[in-house]
Amino acid sequence: MYDTIETETQGRVATIRFNRPDQLNALNTQVMEEVLAAATGFDANPDIGCLILTGNDRAFAAGADIGELAVQTYTSMQASDFFAGWDRFAALRLPKVAAVSGYALGGGCEVALMCDVILASDTAKFGQPEIKIGCIPGIGGTQRLTRLIGRARAMDMILTGRMIDAEEALQMGLVSRVLQPDALLGTAQEVAAQIAGYAPDIVSMARSCVNMADHSTLEAGIRYERQMYHALYGLPAQQEGMAAFLEKRKPRFHRDPEQ
């Protein structure tokens, strides 16, 4: 069905795997369009509760496809709003977990930053090396990276183009866990399944509140959080979750697939 990605589902978890191994999973327009098409389909499926985005052992994605970029002009970039499809991917409601091994450079790093959780194997290498080829990050790197790791560290990475390893990425707060390569996908599946097992509307509220911290003052963010907290009362998920706690049973947030 797709030429540049592979997809699969396991329970309530969907996986999209970049599949251009000869190009170290470099991101071109076809990759963007296929990822967006697959992810949009999963986002619309009520039986899918979380998405894993991954690559292979050598590379998550080693950047944008320079062969495609080198022939562009200002006019062509503006006319097509180049890279805009990635904005639509980032805006999908489905929670996303990035499982990163090998290179996550340039656009690859930027796409990982669009995910809610980034898990890295100890072989992972992150970087924004665009400045080395007379360019700058163009898929949100200057904005998301700065919000995530702070201005000083983002400036260091973007202005020098240096790569950082998984341990430094963990220290910076760019990733949440560093794992052995053979444990990466299994852990990603466990994390995604746990997220997918909760009530989608409550997961959406939690994500919205965390993301609000990037765009508001502390006072406004706390007020927004409190509004969301008040709003969840009366939702079926809140009623079921608290009833299950009091009754000492597992909550039933999803319909039984055999019913």
Side-chain angles (χ1 to χ4, degrees), residues 91-113:
L92 294 175
R93 295 169 297 174
L94 197 62
K96 309 172 193 70
V97 174
V100 179
S101 275
Y103 296 112
L105 304 178
C109 184
E110 290 171 292
V111 171
L113 291 172

Side-chain angles (χ1 to χ4, degrees), residues 99-159:
V100 179
S101 275
Y103 296 112
L105 304 178
C109 184
E110 290 171 292
V111 171
L113 291 172
M114 296 175 190
C115 297
D116 301 290
V117 178
I118 306 177
L119 306 178
S121 80
D122 60 14
T123 67
K125 303 284 187 183
F126 297 88
Q128 298 290 165
E130 291 90 344
I131 202 160
K132 295 182 178 182
I133 58 168
C135 200
I136 66 171
I139 317 180
T142 63
Q143 304 304 301
R144 291 191 178 93
L145 188 64
T146 303
R147 285 170 168 79
L148 191 62
I149 67 174
R151 179 182 183 277
R153 287 168 166 169
M155 281 289 194
D156 182 5
M157 288 182 65
I158 291 168
L159 295 186

Side-chain angles (χ1 to χ4, degrees), residues 179-192:
L179 304 151
Q180 293 295 313
D182 59 1
L184 177 65
L185 285 179
T187 302
Q189 185 70 35
E190 291 173 4
V191 169

Side-chain angles (χ1 to χ4, degrees), residues 160-174:
T160 67
R162 74 182 183 94
M163 286 193 299
I164 62 173
D165 62 20
E167 285 299 328
E168 187 171 1
L170 180 65
Q171 293 169 10
M172 287 183 175
L174 198 158

Side-chain angles (χ1 to χ4, degrees), residues 2-244:
Y2 299 108
D3 295 325
T4 66
I5 62 171
E6 296 175 339
T7 66
E8 63 179 280
T9 59
Q10 183 176 340
R12 289 182 50 79
V13 176
T15 299
I16 297 176
R17 183 189 302 275
F18 297 123
N19 187 33
R20 300 185 75 206
D22 293 341
Q23 295 81 26
L24 293 179
N25 294 330
L27 306 176
N28 61 13
T29 298
Q30 185 178 8
V31 174
M32 179 183 71
E33 291 175 347
E34 291 188 354
V35 168
L36 182 60
T40 299
F42 291 134
D43 189 59
N45 184 346
D47 292 327
I48 298 298
C50 194
L51 173 68
I52 296 172
L53 189 65
T54 192
N56 55 40
D57 290 341
R58 291 186 65 201
F60 176 77
D65 191 322
I66 306 304
E68 182 180 59
L69 296 181
V71 299
Q72 302 297 322
T73 65
Y74 174 77
T75 300
S76 66
M77 284 284 189
Q78 284 285 92
S80 64
D81 197 7
F82 210 84
F83 291 146
W86 289 117
D87 294 340
R88 296 193 292 277
F89 170 76
L92 294 175
R93 295 169 297 174
L94 197 62
K96 309 172 193 70
V97 174
V100 179
S101 275
Y103 296 112
L105 304 178
C109 184
E110 290 171 292
V111 171
L113 291 172
M114 296 175 190
C115 297
D116 301 290
V117 178
I118 306 177
L119 306 178
S121 80
D122 60 14
T123 67
K125 303 284 187 183
F126 297 88
Q128 298 290 165
E130 291 90 344
I131 202 160
K132 295 182 178 182
I133 58 168
C135 200
I136 66 171
I139 317 180
T142 63
Q143 304 304 301
R144 291 191 178 93
L145 188 64
T146 303
R147 285 170 168 79
L148 191 62
I149 67 174
R151 179 182 183 277
R153 287 168 166 169
M155 281 289 194
D156 182 5
M157 288 182 65
I158 291 168
L159 295 186
T160 67
R162 74 182 183 94
M163 286 193 299
I164 62 173
D165 62 20
E167 285 299 328
E168 187 171 1
L170 180 65
Q171 293 169 10
M172 287 183 175
L174 198 158
V175 306
S176 60
R177 308 185 200 181
V178 175
L179 304 151
Q180 293 295 313
D182 59 1
L184 177 65
L185 285 179
T187 302
Q189 185 70 35
E190 291 173 4
V191 169
Q194 187 172 17
I195 294 170
Y198 298 132
D201 46 359
I202 305 301
V203 171
S204 179
M205 282 181 166
R207 293 175 67 231
S208 178
C209 287
V210 174
N211 288 332
M212 186 68 174
D214 287 337
H215 312 294
S216 70
T217 63
L218 177 61
E219 180 182 9
I222 289 174
R223 181 171 296 277
Y224 180 80
E225 175 192 86
R226 188 167 301 131
Q227 289 173 338
M228 290 294 101
Y229 187 81
H230 293 168
L232 67 84
Y233 279 82
L235 292 178
Q238 173 267 327
Q239 296 172 350
E240 167 61 15
M242 292 189 179

